[in-house]
Amino acid sequence: MPEEKRMELEPIGIVRTEAFGKEVRARGHSSEVVLSKDLTGALDGLDDFSHIFVIFWMHKIYEPKRRTIKVNPRGRRDLPLVGIFATRTPYHPNPIGLTLVELLGVEDNVLTVLGLDAFDGTPVLDIKPFDHWDMVDNVQVPDWWKRLEKERSERGQTSLSGPAGRSKKQGTVEN
Amino acid sequence: MPEEKRMELEPIGIVRTEAFGKEVRARGHSSEVVLSKDLTGALDGLDDFSHIFVIFWMHKIYEPKRRTIKVNPRGRRDLPLVGIFATRTPYHPNPIGLTLVELLGVEDNVLTVLGLDAFDGTPVLDIKPFDHWDMVDNVQVPDWWKRLEKERSERGQTSLSGPAGRSKKQGTVEN
């Protein structure tokens, strides 16, 4: 690694949600992203987007876990042990969370979003609108991934593109 | 903002590319992501994914630019002035780059990717596989965004889902 200046982050805001424990991961709840008031103008025009990435600092990760090299996906021993970078485990060297959420609304410095798997009190680092470059087809994933996907579908859970999504336009924002 | 422990990042690797200047943004080139050798095992199984997110530290951003609040998208005065969070401008408070790329190959601690808009020497912070949660339909974007998209399409530029993509399976990795 080359010599670098220190890479230090500053929070731009914080997550507020009533979800806790497993609810947070299930992603069926809405959350607020409360930004610093001085960043209110930086949100102008964001509400023309239906989906945004929220980048956050997973502040609850026990630091030695950041040295993890391999995991069983979702902690399941019946799935193959793979490298942490081949999964979305939170145990990566830098505890940066990345979640695509549906944007339900923006009011002043507060965003309301659906599907953010971040705990109450999580520092927020960045907001990025969903871009055409983020859309791909012909996506290929491992067999263990397909198996998880199949199980999820059998449980009737839907993704953001399913019927739970796009509630904004029907005016059914829950708050 | 609550009192937080310092949020400091460590590089997990570095970008190597021969592209420079505008070529980097055009995203038609391949790059290498060279990880620390001690993270080689953490890549096991990654090559079963066709697409990954690369999260990086935009080390060339002039620091005062991180205080920007509004921009014209792509610096174009004919497009409306909007908040920085409504665009993918690199001038955000935290210079975190997020790019979805096609994974062309993995060899030991080196990933070869297509479409990474990061300069040679950029510190890499994280790698995440593309997840079903990252796929949405019914995406809504602003009018200025559609206009840029139309212009891009008229210039014949394709996105990752276009014919330039998925070269891995045809064995045409350029290196």
Side-chain angles (χ1 to χ4, degrees):
Chain A
M1 298 298 106
E3 194 78 23
E4 293 292 346
K5 274 177 65 180
R6 210 159 62 188
M7 299 185 289
E8 207 168 331
L9 299 162
E10 48 182 319
I12 62 166
I14 194 167
V15 174
R16 288 296 174 209
T17 179
E18 291 179 7
F20 63 96
K22 285 187 175 177
E23 286 176 341
V24 174
R25 284 295 189 87
R27 302 186 47 168
H29 62 285
S30 65
S31 310
E32 286 184 350
V33 174
V34 183
L35 292 204
S36 302
K37 279 203 183 296
D38 57 332
L39 291 172
T40 303
L43 293 171
D44 269 13
L46 186 66
D47 60 359
D48 286 331
F49 288 91
S50 58
H51 294 81
I52 59 174
F53 287 107
V54 180
I55 300 178
F56 51 99
W57 184 258
M58 297 185 282
H59 65 312
K60 286 181 180 287
I61 300 296
Y62 178 55
E63 204 157 323
K65 287 284 194 185
R66 293 166 56 180
R67 307 288 148 224
T68 305
I69 293 293
K70 300 202 183 196
V71 292
N72 295 100
R74 310 285 193 281
R76 282 179 43 171
R77 299 277 168 121
D78 59 326
L79 298 179
L81 191 70
V82 292
I84 48 138
F85 293 128
T87 80
R88 293 291 274 260
T89 174
Y91 305 144
H92 281 206
N94 291 300
I96 299 174
L98 168 69
T99 304
L100 181 65
V101 300
E102 185 179 341
L103 181 61
L104 300 178
V106 182
E107 200 171 324
D108 298 326
N109 61 321
V110 180
L111 314 181
T112 304
V113 300
L114 181 68
L116 181 58
D117 54 346
F119 290 97
D120 186 63
T122 298
V124 176
L125 305 174
D126 205 359
I127 300 289
K128 294 188 195 286
F130 191 73
D131 185 299
H132 78 272
W133 284 112
D134 303 315
M135 273 184 250
V136 293
D137 51 24
N138 290 321
V139 171
Q140 289 171 25
V141 295
D143 289 337
W144 62 261
W145 195 279
K146 290 177 200 156
R147 185 168 150 197
L148 283 174
E149 184 68 0
K150 186 162 171 279
E151 290 175 8
R152 216 176 56 93
S153 142
E154 284 164 0
R155 284 195 307 271
Q157 284 178 281
T158 56
S159 73
L160 286 186
S161 50
R166 296 284 62 226
S167 48
K168 183 165 65 171
K169 302 305 163 191
Q170 285 86 50
T172 57
V173 177
E174 298 145 28
N175 244 336
Chain B
M1 298 300 107
E3 192 79 23
E4 292 293 346
K5 274 177 65 179
R6 211 159 63 188
M7 299 185 290
E8 207 169 329
L9 299 161
E10 49 181 319
I12 62 165
I14 194 167
V15 174
R16 288 296 174 210
T17 178
E18 288 180 9
F20 63 96
K22 286 186 174 177
E23 285 176 339
V24 174
R25 285 295 189 88
R27 300 185 48 168
H29 62 285
S30 65
S31 309
E32 287 184 347
V33 174
V34 182
L35 293 204
S36 302
K37 279 204 184 294
D38 56 333
L39 291 172
T40 303
L43 294 171
D44 269 13
L46 186 67
D47 60 359
D48 285 331
F49 289 91
S50 57
H51 294 81
I52 59 174
F53 288 108
V54 179
I55 300 178
F56 51 97
W57 185 258
M58 296 185 283
H59 66 309
K60 286 181 180 287
I61 300 296
Y62 178 55
E63 204 156 325
K65 287 284 194 184
R66 293 166 55 178
R67 308 288 148 225
T68 305
I69 293 292
K70 300 201 182 197
V71 292
N72 296 100
R74 311 282 194 283
R76 281 179 44 171
R77 299 277 168 121
D78 59 327
L79 298 179
L81 192 69
V82 292
I84 47 137
F85 293 128
T87 80
R88 293 291 274 260
T89 173
Y91 305 144
H92 281 207
N94 292 301
I96 299 174
L98 169 68
T99 304
L100 181 64
V101 300
E102 185 180 342
L103 180 61
L104 301 179
V106 182
E107 201 172 323
D108 297 327
N109 61 321
V110 180
L111 314 181
T112 304
V113 301
L114 181 69
L116 181 59
D117 54 346
F119 291 97
D120 187 63
T122 298
V124 176
L125 305 174
D126 205 359
I127 300 289
K128 295 188 194 287
F130 191 71
D131 185 300
H132 77 273
W133 285 111
D134 303 315
M135 274 183 248
V136 293
D137 50 24
N138 289 321
V139 171
Q140 290 171 26
V141 296
D143 288 339
W144 61 261
W145 194 279
K146 291 176 199 155
R147 185 168 151 198
L148 283 174
E149 184 68 357
K150 185 161 171 282
E151 290 175 9
R152 215 177 55 94
S153 139
E154 284 164 2
R155 283 195 307 271
Q157 285 179 280
T158 56
S159 73
L160 286 186
S161 50
R166 298 280 63 225
S167 49
K168 183 166 62 169
K169 304 302 164 191
Q170 284 88 49
T172 56
V173 176
E174 298 147 28
N175 244 337

